[in-house]
Amino acid sequence: MSTEKILIIGSQGQIGLELAEALRNNYGHDNVVCADVKDVENPVGPYEKLDAMDRQGMYEVIKKHGVSQVYLLAALLSATAEQKPKLAWDLNMEGLFNVLDAAKEGMIKKVYWPSSIAVFGPTTPRVNTPQYTVMEPNTIYGISKQAGERYCEYYHQKYGVDVRSIRYPGLIGHKSAPGGGTTDYAVHIYHEALKNKSYECFLSEDTTLPMMYMPDALKATIQLMESSADKVKIRSSYNIAGISFSPKEIADEIRKHIPEFSITYKPDFRQAIANCWPGSIDDTRAREDWGWHNDFDLSAMTKDMLDNLK
Ligand code: AKB
């Protein structure tokens, strides 16, 4: 029997929906409480309606369920954050402060908080971006993630908070839809390829970005959270790498399965965001510290996505 009680805040988003399923398999159905600002009719397990910015509401949920670990996934992603900068800053930071303070006060034992490749910026080396390098993010999302990383490390060093984090690349999965990111095209493209045999991409054909298939991202997240504390040497956030590809390369891969698939390019404001992000990531530290490795490359992911979406 698991002694852990896990709370996922932002459980109805792209990662939350899949992570809840994976954690419920590992820890038992009733030991994972899902929470989100959305109303959910007939939730499949314990569910609480919760705004991550509502500190008192969050603490009541933590106490009510005897929560020991929080995964804080509620956030505005890069593209939406540029449209709503004030809300993005408030949500991305307040939610984190509320959870870090809960850990500092001893209400919970462990915190997971996702960072992103958006912490890097135009002055960062783009190829094999190192763990430690120049970081001058120029999007609200990236600025909030970088500030969040600094707070995580500070709370760990100053108050002993056991907080763990990964800098996610663009995530691709077939079970849940992405919302408001610059890397979302790499999910939409599969849906459109099957439905319409064509796709208009909002990034240019040669925009290479770091990406990852959802099973790899879930594996990394749970592996990091289950590692013994002494192995987690970085308390800001870990680089992890999966696959790097451009819209042209993913389209070529899809064409191996759907030969008539065609792609056109109409870059919009998201192109400027993508231009300032890395093309590939050096994840040596995650590999060395807690044994991370990815399983899926572009061709295995494409086959699996198309098989499942069909
Ligand atoms: C986004 O595109 O905003 C996210 C991310 C890379 O953090 N997928």
Side-chain angles (χ1 to χ4, degrees):
M1 255 262 300
S2 168
T3 52
E4 298 295 343
K5 257 283 160 104
I6 295 173
L7 174 64
I8 304 177
I9 301 173
S11 64
Q12 300 306 296
Q14 186 194 16
I15 305 169
L17 283 166
E18 296 213 31
L19 187 66
E21 204 181 303
L23 289 173
R24 281 184 168 150
N25 285 338
N26 290 5
Y27 290 87
H29 193 77
D30 292 340
N31 290 325
V32 179
V33 180
C34 287
D36 202 285
V37 74
K38 291 180 187 155
D39 281 309
V40 174
E41 271 178 48
N42 307 318
V44 291
Y47 184 79
E48 297 282 351
K49 185 172 175 184
L50 175 67
D51 180 341
M53 292 185 284
D54 172 8
R55 177 176 285 237
Q56 206 191 323
M58 186 189 289
Y59 292 178
E60 276 165 18
V61 169
I62 288 173
K63 283 182 199 140
K64 177 177 160 191
H65 293 274
V67 169
S68 56
Q69 301 185 8
V70 173
Y71 287 70
L72 174 62
L73 306 178
L76 286 200
L77 298 189
S78 56
T80 318
E82 291 305 294
Q83 316 294 335
K84 299 177 186 169
K86 169 87 172 76
L87 174 63
W89 178 260
D90 290 347
L91 172 62
N92 295 3
M93 299 311 296
E94 283 303 319
L96 179 61
F97 294 147
N98 291 342
V99 175
L100 288 177
D101 283 335
K104 179 186 162 202
E105 301 307 327
M107 275 185 261
I108 52 176
K109 288 190 301 196
K110 225 187 252 187
V111 175
Y112 180 79
W113 173 82
S115 185
S116 160
I117 54 161
V119 291
F120 301 115
T123 51
T124 302
R126 286 203 78 231
V127 179
N128 247 347
T129 300
Q131 175 72 40
Y132 297 108
T133 184
V134 180
M135 293 164 87
E136 295 184 311
N138 58 359
T139 60
I140 286 295
Y141 177 62
I143 293 167
S144 72
K145 287 295 179 189
Q146 196 198 28
E149 284 192 9
R150 297 289 86 227
Y151 269 96
C152 287
E153 191 182 270
Y154 184 84
Y155 269 66
H156 176 72
Q157 286 177 353
K158 195 97 179 167
Y159 308 118
V161 168
D162 189 353
V163 55
R164 301 163 184 220
S165 175
I166 282 170
R167 291 173 180 151
Y168 286 131
L171 299 183
I172 298 151
H174 55 84
K175 291 187 187 163
S176 53
T182 303
T183 57
D184 292 8
Y185 90 85
V187 179
H188 298 149
I189 195 170
Y190 288 112
H191 289 266
E192 293 301 310
L194 285 167
K195 211 163 83 188
N196 300 320
K197 314 249 177 301
S198 67
Y199 179 63
E200 184 178 272
C201 186
F202 57 74
L203 297 181
S204 66
E205 65 176 338
D206 53 357
T207 309
T208 299
L209 288 171
M211 302 278 187
M212 182 171 286
Y213 197 31
M214 190 61 88
D216 273 337
L218 299 177
K219 184 181 83 164
T221 305
I222 295 172
Q223 195 180 342
L224 174 63
M225 281 298 271
E226 289 182 349
S227 294
S228 60
D230 59 309
K231 289 204 168 123
V232 186
K233 299 201 174 72
I234 293 174
R235 297 299 184 143
S236 50
S237 192
Y238 275 96
N239 276 7
I240 60 167
I243 328 158
S244 281
F245 57 79
S246 65
K248 182 179 180 315
E249 285 165 334
I250 190 173
D252 287 345
E253 197 57 45
I254 290 173
R255 240 177 255 118
K256 292 180 187 166
H257 302 264
I258 307 172
E260 60 276 43
F261 175 64
S262 67
I263 183 164
T264 51
Y265 302 95
K266 199 174 171 199
D268 66 14
F269 72 100
R270 288 168 281 195
Q271 184 68 48
I273 299 176
N275 288 347
C276 297
W277 286 356
S280 56
I281 299 287
D282 176 1
D283 61 359
T284 309
R285 286 300 305 268
R287 288 175 188 265
E288 285 176 0
D289 288 1
W290 42 276
W292 154 250
H293 69 91
N294 62 305
D295 295 325
F296 286 86
D297 60 12
L298 178 57
S299 112
M301 175 179 80
T302 299
K303 183 173 179 325
D304 205 62
M305 277 296 282
L306 293 174
D307 285 350
N308 279 288
L309 287 177
K310 266 181 210 156

